[in-house]
Amino acid sequence: MSYYLTTPIYYVNATPHIGHAYTTIAADALVRHHRQRGEETFFLTGTDENASKVYRVAEEQGLDPKTYVDEIVDHWRELPRRVNVDYDFFIRTTDEGHKRFVQEFLQRIYDNGDIYQDVYSGLYCVGCEEFKNEADLVDGLCAEHGIPPERIEEKNYFFRLSAYQDKLLELYDTRPDFVLPPHRYNEARSFIEGGLEDFSVSRAGQPWGIPIPWDEGQVTYVWVDALINYLSALTYARDGEDLREQFWPHAHHLLGKDILRFHCVYWPALLLAAGYEVPQQLFVHGWLLLDDRKISKSLGNALDPLDLVDVYGADPVRFWALRSVSFGQDGTASLDSLHERYERELANDLGNLVSRTTAMISRYREGRIEPGEANQELAALLEALRAKLVERFDAYDLTGALEDIWEVVRWLNRHVEATAPWQLAKDEARAAELDRVLYDLADGVRSVAVALAPYLPETTPLILGALRQPVELQLERVAAGLTPETEGIEPAAPLFPRVDLPTAAA
């Protein structure tokens, strides 16, 4: 089984903020989970470099566009590395392989008769890189960026989107899980049912972008160029290999709600016109908000994710992003909530559990544990957790899956208090009972570590190492009784050292 997941590719007109990290972290967690299930995975992320606003920023800085994007792309490559994201390919829309494929893709649609030339006269928001209608505006301003769109008139090439309305409705009606969550499916389908208008696939008189193959005086509209990356990357990501047959039938797109129309309407229509299958699924998540406004460089309220990582570490930032807000919905980010989650759940619930477990094994059994009679309650909890993880991740419920894991963490902490190993250790007649308790704790912690691997990829090996267990992360390892006889366990170093909130918020 194969699993192909993409993030949107990000504009490079500025450096990354926490909103970009949010999507990328979620994608990484999804891919890591599917890898745990034994699936062959491919994870794509990257940068969208052919936008008008990128060209304008380069001009403002006195640079030619290619020089500018080559310099700023380093910040975007740094983001996934710093938040422990393990992608397979980082695409740039200035890649020669991508440019070549875009031109071939558009030529196929043109040859099919679904592209024609006409004049566009209307509004265009450079912030969104999107053509606008008056109905899209709020008090004459772009609803997202708060700026007035520009009025332009161009002789462009148009895609016959209107010709694909019935085919798109048929797609949606036969595949009710094509877009998730369901309310986003309904939003996209309603837009299609309301009537589709043809849209421009080119820009005239713009010197930056991928030339239209049959008319090099025009360049590809940046959104068309960007969407095609999901397919183009598979043709050149690995030298000498074409991965489309293996991965494209299993393509899943992760995206924010502000780009739903492009991905859920325009993209499948373009694919059908070019003779390709549509993706298997698209998941549309909400915005990460700051003071109830979308986090954005243009709005001046961006949080730099790398600043947070410098204070708390990558895994805690990943945990907070996916734990604080139900994934898929809008939610408000705050440094206070990050600090509170770090202290209460990571340092206390999880970190202290690992510390206590290893310290007691070291103190009371000289670092040695061995399997005994299974704890039926723990075994049932872990079996249920394993099934819940599959169900949750298949529904993109990353937040719910974390809560399921934390139910086991809390059970293990209650088990420590209820069994009181420090009291058992005082009574030699209860030695066998102490052995069972310590083994159950180690076995439970090991299972929790495996379950947390998609969220805490740096911390999981530390927990397994503290228990002197191999880093075996298959999902079936979330089960009771799989911890072998082990010796040499010593008290674990703190996983989540104290962080001072004023320093973090400075």
Side-chain angles (χ1 to χ4, degrees):
M1 185 66 176
S2 295
Y3 181 79
Y4 174 36
L5 187 69
T6 71
T7 71
I9 51 174
Y10 305 117
Y11 288 128
V12 293
N13 59 303
T15 53
H17 58 65
I18 193 64
H20 302 118
Y22 183 55
T23 306
T24 309
I25 289 167
D28 185 66
L30 283 159
V31 172
R32 288 178 185 272
H33 167 80
H34 281 273
R35 201 178 298 147
Q36 285 186 301
R37 287 158 65 168
E39 298 175 21
E40 186 73 23
T41 62
F42 194 87
F43 176 17
L44 178 70
T45 190
T47 47
D48 185 355
E49 303 181 6
N50 294 321
S52 301
K53 56 186 175 184
V54 172
Y55 178 78
R56 294 186 183 187
V57 169
E59 269 195 322
E60 291 169 4
Q61 297 186 15
L63 299 171
D64 70 86
K66 189 61 167 68
T67 300
Y68 168 77
V69 297
D70 285 347
E71 290 179 356
I72 199 168
V73 76
D74 288 341
H75 293 279
W76 292 90
R77 289 186 184 277
E78 177 75 353
L79 172 65
R81 187 185 70 80
R82 289 290 304 279
V83 292
N84 291 336
V85 165
D86 182 22
Y87 58 80
D88 290 285
F89 189 62
F90 188 99
I91 191 170
R92 300 178 60 188
T93 55
T94 52
D95 291 344
E96 287 301 320
H98 172 72
K99 291 160 68 175
R100 182 172 57 252
F101 187 88
V102 167
Q103 292 182 318
E104 293 172 357
F105 187 97
L106 288 177
Q107 188 69 55
R108 292 174 70 157
I109 301 176
Y110 183 76
D111 293 344
N112 289 342
D114 281 328
I115 290 178
Y116 63 94
Q117 195 168 35
D118 203 348
V119 174
Y120 174 81
S121 179
L123 302 172
Y124 189 81
C125 175
V126 175
C128 300
E129 295 289 359
E130 183 177 355
F131 298 99
K132 298 285 187 179
N133 296 317
E134 293 285 352
D136 297 326
L137 307 180
V138 177
D139 297 329
L141 305 178
C142 168
E144 181 179 344
H145 292 94
I147 58 175
E150 301 174 5
R151 184 164 293 278
I152 64 172
E153 182 170 321
E154 295 180 350
K155 191 173 186 180
N156 294 338
Y157 290 94
F158 284 72
F159 170 61
R160 297 184 195 277
L161 179 64
S162 57
Y164 286 85
Q165 179 168 337
D166 290 343
K167 290 182 180 179
L168 289 175
L169 287 174
E170 181 183 1
L171 166 67
Y172 272 72
D173 290 343
T174 56
R175 290 172 56 177
D177 63 347
F178 179 59
V179 173
L180 293 174
H183 67 283
R184 298 300 178 194
Y185 167 96
N186 293 334
E187 180 182 343
R189 195 192 180 286
S190 295
F191 179 80
I192 297 166
E193 193 173 34
L196 297 178
E197 297 180 0
D198 299 347
F199 69 92
S200 176
V201 296
S202 73
R203 297 294 309 275
Q206 184 170 304
W208 179 240
I210 298 176
I212 295 292
W214 61 88
D215 183 351
E216 296 207 349
Q218 301 211 22
V219 298
T220 306
Y221 173 41
V222 63
W223 264 107
V224 174
D225 160 9
L227 289 166
I228 297 170
N229 96 91
Y230 302 130
L231 192 54
S232 71
L234 297 177
T235 66
Y236 71 97
R238 293 179 186 163
D239 289 343
E241 293 186 61
D242 189 330
L243 302 175
R244 284 177 291 181
E245 183 176 346
Q246 179 181 2
F247 287 110
W248 185 248
H250 311 286
H252 296 70
H253 298 326
L254 192 62
L255 58 137
K257 67 178 185 178
D258 52 329
I259 52 178
L260 176 147
R261 188 180 305 177
F262 290 104
H263 284 78
C264 302
V265 181
Y266 295 1
W267 178 224
L270 287 166
L271 285 164
L272 292 172
Y276 288 99
E277 293 294 320
V278 299
Q280 184 172 330
Q281 202 166 58
L282 301 94
F283 185 85
V284 186
H285 68 74
W287 286 340
L288 196 61
L289 307 174
L290 188 65
D291 300 326
D292 296 324
R293 297 195 73 191
K294 181 189 176 190
I295 293 174
S296 166
K297 287 284 184 181
S298 60
L299 295 177
N301 67 343
L303 284 172
D304 189 329
L306 302 188
D307 288 346
L308 300 179
V309 169
D310 286 342
V311 175
Y312 290 97
D315 278 7
V317 171
R318 290 170 62 102
F319 178 85
W320 162 71
L322 299 177
R323 178 73 165 139
S324 300
V325 175
S326 183
F327 187 68
Q329 301 176 14
D330 289 341
T332 300
S334 77
L335 291 179
D336 285 346
S337 70
L338 168 55
H339 191 78
E340 192 271 339
R341 294 277 181 189
Y342 181 90
E343 285 196 330
R344 179 169 58 86
E345 295 189 318
L346 290 178
N348 189 36
D349 290 353
L350 179 61
N352 193 41
L353 174 64
V354 174
S355 295
R356 294 177 83 184
T357 297
T358 54
M360 288 188 295
I361 293 170
S362 175
R363 180 176 180 181
Y364 302 137
R365 287 296 177 262
E366 297 182 335
R368 186 173 179 273
I369 55 171
E370 60 181 38
E373 183 180 345
N375 183 301
Q376 296 303 315
E377 186 178 358
L378 177 59
L381 277 173
L382 294 176
E383 183 177 356
L385 174 61
R386 191 171 65 253
K388 288 178 185 176
L389 291 176
V390 171
E391 182 179 343
R392 296 281 199 186
F393 273 87
D394 282 352
Y396 300 83
D397 187 3
L398 307 181
T399 310
L402 262 179
E403 176 58 25
D404 292 334
I405 297 169
W406 234 252
E407 286 182 7
V408 178
V409 171
R410 287 191 286 263
W411 185 92
L412 290 167
N413 277 305
R414 291 195 301 271
H415 192 59
V416 173
E417 297 302 321
T419 56
W422 49 90
Q423 295 295 340
L424 297 177
K426 296 177 181 178
D427 187 349
E428 190 61 35
R430 304 181 74 183
E433 187 178 349
L434 176 60
D435 288 339
R436 285 197 300 273
V437 168
L438 295 179
Y439 178 83
D440 289 341
L441 289 173
D443 200 36
V445 168
R446 177 198 54 77
S447 294
V448 162
V450 174
L452 283 170
Y455 301 93
L456 307 178
E458 186 177 351
T459 305
T460 286
L462 296 178
I463 297 173
L464 294 175
L467 293 170
R468 300 188 67 81
Q469 299 299 308
V471 183
E472 296 176 347
L473 303 180
Q474 303 93 324
L475 192 61
E476 57 263 28
R477 302 286 299 171
V478 180
L482 299 185
T483 305
E485 182 176 335
T486 305
E487 56 185 30
I489 296 173
E490 298 178 352
L495 293 173
F496 305 102
R498 178 180 171 81
V499 170
D500 186 44
L501 181 58
T503 302

